[in-house]
Amino acid sequence: IMVKSNVAAIYIYDTGARLLSMQSHVGITDKFAKELGKIQVSESEVKKLLRWDNQTSLLEETLSDSTYSSIMKTVLRDGINMLIAQPLLHNNSLLGLMFIGYNAPRKISPEDNKLFDFIGRQTAISIENVILKKDLSKISKRLDLMSAMTKFTGASFNLNQIFETIAYGIKQILDFAHASIAVVEGDVMAYNAAYSTTKSQIVPGFKLPQGATPMSWLIKNQKAYIQDDLSSSIKFSTDDIYTKEGLRSVVYIPLYSQGAIFGYLTIASRKPNAFNAGDR
């Protein structure tokens, strides 16, 4: 109504998957929504969107030729002869993308650009508020779960007895198919506990040479190691095992005792890009 357009669509950006997903639209056909419901963008495209300037930026210069052509092919077929893009930016982060379309070309004035920018900023703030509310709810749930798990795990010294409950607890907040704990035993990594939704090679008692595992990387970098898609990159022998078992993404989380890493917790999923920034 504010910009007298025929079409409007709002996409939300998934950082982990680098995917723009349509969340709301007006004046768009079902076929359009189906074909452009999700738009994959590369890291370079995201960087250009973050530098967006209403006065000088053009969508065809920001997106790759293939991405831009697929959008315009659908747009033109839907009878939209003019498409305006407005990235939804807040605190130097890309939250989404807004499309405004017209059935007939029209001249865009500097005042129009200011209005598009204002609408984009207000929409971004609204999205940020929703995300924060969801994150606070997730954090609260996770803290409650961690507190309950801490009380339970403190009651036993038998890792195998408590690990299934630990895995069940993690499953309340993360969708995964495999979880395991490996600890250093000399020059090998010994898996002391494991949980999988299907048959897995990695079970309690399974051992691997330490050099073939992520242990050295974890000690050197002192942070979790994340593989977003095992089908495109294999770094450790454990990755190879998980790939053969149908797993696509994995997180290796270092375990500390008195400041030193003594092993790692693995969480793996059948989905690529399964773990977002909040999960990590």
Side-chain angles (χ1 to χ4, degrees), residues 20-273:
L20 288 159
S21 301
M22 190 186 293
Q23 297 294 315
S24 182
H25 62 84
V26 177
I28 287 173
T29 64
D30 291 339
K31 192 171 184 179
F32 181 107
K34 184 178 180 180
E35 289 188 24
L36 282 184
K38 295 185 184 298
I39 302 172
Q40 191 76 49
V41 288
S42 66
E43 188 175 351
S44 62
E45 289 171 315
V46 172
K47 287 179 179 178
K48 288 179 181 178
L49 287 169
L50 287 170
R51 296 194 297 268
W52 187 273
D53 183 307
N54 276 51
Q55 308 301 320
T56 60
S57 297
L58 294 171
L59 194 62
E60 57 262 45
E61 295 174 354
T62 304
L63 301 179
S64 68
D65 290 343
S66 59
T67 305
Y68 179 71
S69 63
S70 67
I71 291 172
M72 294 312 297
K73 181 181 176 182
T74 306
V75 164
L76 291 169
R77 195 181 59 234
D78 221 48
I80 303 166
N81 287 298
M82 183 171 184
L83 184 71
I84 293 163
Q86 176 67 51
L88 304 176
L89 307 171
H90 187 62
N91 290 335
N92 298 317
S93 295
L94 177 66
L95 300 183
L97 186 69
M98 179 171 67
F99 283 146
I100 297 167
Y102 295 91
N103 292 341
R106 56 167 284 182
K107 186 177 180 180
I108 301 299
S109 68
E111 287 71 27
D112 290 329
N113 274 326
K114 287 179 182 178
L115 183 56
F116 296 140
D117 184 60
F118 172 77
I119 295 170
R121 290 182 185 279
Q122 294 303 308
T123 304
I125 290 170
S126 298
I127 293 169
E128 177 76 2
N129 288 337
V130 172
I131 291 170
L132 285 173
K133 188 175 180 180
K134 285 184 177 179
D135 285 348
L136 286 173
S137 176
K138 282 183 180 179
I139 290 168
S140 177
K141 182 179 179 181
R142 291 178 182 193
L143 288 173
D144 290 343
L145 184 61
M146 286 169 65
S147 177
M149 287 171 64
T150 300
K151 289 178 183 176
F152 177 81
T153 56
S156 174
F157 289 103
N158 189 319
L159 185 60
N160 283 312
Q161 281 183 356
I162 65 173
F163 190 67
E164 190 169 331
T165 300
I166 292 173
Y168 176 80
I170 297 171
K171 211 162 179 57
Q172 304 311 297
I173 51 176
L174 287 178
D175 179 23
F176 71 92
H178 172 92
S180 57
I181 287 178
V183 298
V184 175
E185 281 188 10
D187 59 355
V188 301
M189 296 301 298
Y191 285 78
N192 288 1
Y195 166 90
S196 294
T197 56
T198 57
K199 188 176 180 181
S200 175
Q201 182 181 346
I202 296 180
V203 296
F206 182 75
K207 295 184 180 181
L208 275 175
Q210 197 177 135
T213 72
M215 190 64 186
S216 297
W217 190 97
L218 296 172
I219 291 172
K220 180 181 178 181
N221 293 277
Q222 298 287 308
K223 64 179 182 180
Y225 176 79
I226 299 147
Q227 283 276 55
D228 285 322
D229 191 348
L230 295 174
S231 67
S232 60
S233 175
I234 298 292
K235 188 164 184 177
F236 309 110
S237 59
T238 40
D239 296 341
D240 194 40
I241 292 170
Y242 295 136
T243 301
K244 291 174 182 175
E245 294 176 359
L247 299 171
R248 291 287 300 277
S249 52
V250 60
V251 182
Y252 296 106
I253 305 159
L255 302 176
Y256 291 87
S257 177
Q258 298 179 350
I261 298 176
F262 68 91
Y264 53 83
L265 166 68
T266 303
I267 299 175
S269 171
R270 295 190 179 282
K271 301 175 183 176
N273 303 295

